[in-house]
Amino acid sequence: METRSRLILLSHVLLIFLLCPLAYAHFEEVHTLIQAGHYTEATNKLEALAESTNDIAVQSWCYYQIGEIYYNYTHQYTRAIEAYDKILKLEKNGLAAEELFLAIIKKGDVHSRMGNYHEAIQIYDRLIKLAPASHFVHKTGLQKIRDINRALSDLREQQRIAIQYKGTPLAAIAQFQIAELYRNHSQLNQPEKAIEEYASLLEAHPDAIMAPEARWRIAHLRHTVLNQSALAMATYRKVTEDYPSSNFAADALFQMANIHRTTKKYSLAIPIFEKLKQRHPNFWNMHAVLYWTGVCYEQTLNYPKAIASFETFLHAYLPQLDPGYLGQISMHDKSVSEVKAEIRRKIEELAEQMAEVELGRLNKARADRDFSEALSIAQHLIATAPHTPQAEQAAEQLPTLQQLTAIENLREKLQDQNLVPIEVARARLQIGSIYERKPLQDHPKAIEAYQEVSKHHADLTHSAEALYRSGLIYAEQLSAPNEAIQAYKKVIETHPNTLQAMMANFQLGELYRKLHRYNEALQAYETTIGYPERDRYLAGGYKDSFADRAQFRIGRVHYDDRRYNEARFAFEEFIQNRTQSPRLAAAYVYLATICENQSENAQAAYYYKRAENLLPDNPIQMTMLIEEASALGSLQATDSDAVMRFLKENRKRLETAKTGSNQ
Ligand SMILES: *[C@@H]1O[C@H](CO)[C@@H](O)[C@H](O)[C@H]1NC(C)=O
Ligand SMILES: *[C@@H]1O[C@H](CO)[C@@H](O)[C@H](O)[C@H]1NC(C)=O
Ligand SMILES: *[C@@H]1O[C@H](CO)[C@@H](O)[C@H](O)[C@H]1NC(C)=O
Ligand SMILES: *[C@@H]1O[C@H](CO)[C@@H](O)[C@H](O)[C@H]1NC(C)=O
Ligand SMILES: *[C@@H]1O[C@H](CO)[C@@H](O)[C@H](O)[C@H]1NC(C)=O
């Protein structure tokens, strides 16, 4: 029956286009206005068009559309009747019989929608009298009258049962039947009344077996008949929340996703489709879920997921599919093999463009600071399209994206109100240290994170660590020694009994030494040594520590300040006290240089010899020597061969000079 009236409508519209090509432009315009929900504008436009023409076919078409708008969307039924009446008035002007019949049917439908079944029956009766018995609308009219009468008597019967069995499950079923009678377009055709009935059923019998269906029906009427998609959406959601294990919950998710999809909100549809797949893996309409998920992914330019969805649909679902179900993917007019070819083509097309589109998506995610998304796109792109320039670009970004994602995850964690303070401090500290590392090396950002730690967690040792690390960044990366000194001093002041305070003292010594503030440097180094020593064991039995370094640098401060006696004393004591130091060779070279300055050539040669003996096959001593002594005037060597040559030459020179002076 409904198919038939659709057929009439279709031929009706086609007829208009044939008669009047201009009408097509109007049809498009009106259609767009209706889609956008601009119903008043649409009816005004149609009204004006109808008045501006003498073509009764066009007039009839306009009024028909107006009637539809009032009936379908704004639910102003009296106005709908007025519109259809205007068509009926065109009868005397020679309106085509088909159009007259259609308007009569529509007018009858509006009356039954209003609950005026008596009028509706009279109108259908008029149709029966007008249309020849051979015409199918004649049968339609008869059928409609029969349906209404049957429905009304059924309604009375169900109402009787509902009263007789009040409060029992039988009454619940009767009430459900009543709602169904109102719902059915061919029966009582009152969706609003049906909704009331379903709602009162839910209230009186919340635990009834058909409760999920009743709720779903309310949503579905709002969605498909009353065009109240916001209300429909909320009601579908309630189905999924209140009856999560029901089949109607699965269908409600499907409908919610479809509402988003048909209003082009693809990115909202996707998570709902995904949830449906996950929660209801046996959903009867899974083939449509796969297909529409593919469409939504394609629209949001996620080609890998679009391809995966279409492939699954193509290989797992389509071969099994009853062609009758192709309507679920809006392809009722195609054969299975046509659908197959179309989807194959689509997959090929997507695959061809994938690398380029993915790179675009990667860049967009990164620009939107959605780094975890960018990272997963990059990883997938590298894995699925290797050897493409796009994958290469993704690979280049990978290390950076990994760090940015790690930071993003930590920041997300920080949003959690229940996070214990110590974890907050750890997370903030970790953010700073990730910013410091390659390839990010974003020092200002690192400092920002460290400042957060010292600001919010002043009592924790993590604050000392944060201050200490900012000191290092100021000193070593940002060439800001004064800021560095401030940071170190704050560590020492606020957390004196920490490893960080010990190290801060050492770093202060370093800064002062480089700034030629020698006395302050000496004091800082002395303080460093005063802390309990924390050894680091090296290969060859050597032992390093901040104290060892500080001790050595005391010698260097004296040396730099040309206090050679003090320097000599410091280095001699260093050699005596720190027999496991990795800086012994360096100390010998300093001593040799000092002795040479003091014209003690034999002693100088002796120290060079000690260094020479120690160094071969001793990378630790060699490395330290280069680190500590490369600043010495004539030793500007950075490789071990050059160092050894320097030592030998100096020793030879000194020995010759010594022999010479002895003669
Ligand atoms: C249905 O109603 C909404 C407003 O709720 C409107 O935007 C939409 O265009 C309507 N749908 C149709 C097909 O007219
Ligand atoms: C009114 O609703 C019917 C049934 O849903 C539909 O076939 C028809 O196209 C709608 N009319 C308009 C003007 O949108
Ligand atoms: C609606 O009512 C008609 C006529 O009684 C019936 O043939 C049809 O199956 C009903 N449709 C639904 C969905 O109940
Ligand atoms: C070196 O050792 C001696 C004897 O144990 C000690 O008196 C002296 O303070 C030490 N010097 C340094 C700089 O550690
Ligand atoms: C020793 O060092 C001082 C100061 O750097 C310098 O003036 C002097 O020439 C040096 N003497 C020798 C013998 O190298």
Side-chain angles (χ1 to χ4, degrees), residues 284-333:
W284 70 275
N285 209 357
M286 195 53 87
H287 77 276
V289 175
L290 260 301
Y291 176 80
W292 291 121
T293 310
V295 169
C296 291
Y297 276 127
E298 181 190 351
Q299 292 294 333
T300 53
L301 300 182
N302 188 336
Y303 284 11
K305 291 218 165 133
I307 292 172
S309 303
F310 287 136
E311 293 275 21
T312 312
F313 173 79
L314 185 65
H315 298 293
Y317 291 92
L318 192 57
Q320 258 68 267
L321 200 65
D322 176 338
Y325 288 122
L326 286 176
Q328 293 289 336
I329 59 168
S330 297
M331 295 213 197
H332 47 80
D333 52 348

Side-chain angles (χ1 to χ4, degrees), residues 3 258 283 321 470 495 505 573:
T3 346
N258 280 331
F283 180 49
L321 200 65
S470 351
H495 294 83
N505 272 298
E573 205 179 30

Side-chain angles (χ1 to χ4, degrees), residues 357-406:
V357 173
E358 280 294 274
L359 185 63
R361 216 158 60 85
L362 163 59
N363 291 335
K364 176 161 190 319
R366 191 169 170 176
D368 294 345
R369 311 188 62 76
D370 185 353
F371 301 118
S372 53
E373 174 73 357
L375 178 61
S376 87
I377 297 169
Q379 285 164 335
H380 189 267
L381 178 54
I382 294 163
T384 51
H387 315 303
T388 60
Q390 292 88 355
E392 257 168 51
Q393 284 189 46
E396 274 166 29
Q397 298 190 41
L398 205 59
T400 305
L401 288 174
Q402 284 170 346
Q403 289 195 333
L404 290 171
T405 305

Side-chain angles (χ1 to χ4, degrees), residues 529 551 573 577-578:
I529 297 164
Q551 192 75 64
E573 205 179 30
N577 284 24
R578 297 192 169 269

Side-chain angles (χ1 to χ4, degrees), residues 143 147 150 180 183-187:
Q143 182 69 44
D147 284 346
R150 216 173 264 162
E180 292 285 281
R183 174 174 69 82
N184 190 333
H185 171 259
S186 309
Q187 293 173 318

Side-chain angles (χ1 to χ4, degrees), residues 31-39 72-73 226-230 263:
H31 181 73
T32 309
L33 286 172
I34 292 175
Q35 282 306 312
H38 299 319
Y39 304 119
N72 277 8
Y73 305 118
L226 296 174
N227 186 43
Q228 301 167 336
S229 38
T263 50

Side-chain angles (χ1 to χ4, degrees), residues 275-284 286 317:
K275 195 187 280 177
L276 172 53
K277 280 198 267 182
Q278 189 214 338
R279 286 195 194 163
H280 306 278
N282 63 337
F283 180 49
W284 70 275
M286 195 53 87
Y317 291 92

